[in-house]
Amino acid sequence: MIEYKQMTAADYAAVIELGNRVHGDNYLTPESLADYDQRGRVGDVNLNWLAFADGKLAGIRLTFAPGNWDIDGHCCPSEWPVPAEQICYFKCVAVDPDVRGGGIGRGLLERSIAEAKKLGCQAGLAHIWMQSPDNAAFEYFTRCGGELIREHDKRWYDLSINDGYHCPVCDGVCHCTAGEMILKF
């Protein structure tokens, strides 16, 4: 049985462990997670969700509220179907490999979307890891309704050079491509 709940600071250690196990060392740090948590909150709305299987953390979904994320050079706002003020940012999803395929990722996404709608969001943007094992990230987000806008080379390169992120696919410095994808609600 899967139990879903919104993330709190008490969950940070487990979230960091799972996120780094799935995405690579230093993908999440105590400092970055505290920042991400705040970016996912507006008043009493919390877009960050966790899934537990038999009491153990099985999945995480970190989502930034509109206005709480940067539109950088890896974004193509002129190609978005709605204004940035109505778009949340799906920062991260990680599901424990031992429980994948059971709908946890979709369940987390649905809960984040429900909260985002409270803030007037009509879509969510994500940078999908195109080199994820078996391209599972792209397939998952596409099945959930995501549409590819454009691919961006070396999306996490700066993170690996400047912040010590260790990409598990590139075995260190990350050269992976991100698929900028939009999911309309």
Side-chain angles (χ1 to χ4, degrees), residues 137-184:
F138 180 76
E139 289 181 18
Y140 148 75
F141 207 68
T142 300
R143 279 192 315 270
C144 291
E147 299 173 18
L148 182 64
I149 295 171
R150 186 177 297 175
E151 291 189 15
H152 300 276
D153 293 335
K154 298 184 179 182
R155 172 70 168 106
W156 299 279
Y157 179 81
D158 287 342
L159 184 63
S160 64
I161 293 294
N162 298 321
D163 296 324
Y165 168 57
H166 184 93
C167 176
V169 171
C170 299
D171 197 25
V173 176
C174 187
H175 291 84
C176 291
T177 299
E180 179 185 2
M181 297 185 76
I182 195 87
L183 175 62
K184 294 178 277 189

Side-chain angles (χ1 to χ4, degrees), residues 89-140:
Y89 184 73
F90 298 122
K91 172 62 179 163
C92 170
V93 66
V95 176
D96 187 316
D98 293 337
V99 294
R100 284 188 188 145
I104 291 173
R106 182 179 289 272
L108 290 164
L109 181 64
E110 289 170 351
R111 284 160 176 80
S112 284
I113 289 171
E115 291 295 302
K117 285 179 177 180
K118 294 176 184 177
L119 300 174
C121 289
Q122 295 182 9
L125 188 82
H127 285 95
I128 300 299
W129 184 24
M130 300 301 281
Q131 282 76 28
S132 66
D134 299 321
N135 206 14
F138 180 76
E139 289 181 18
Y140 148 75

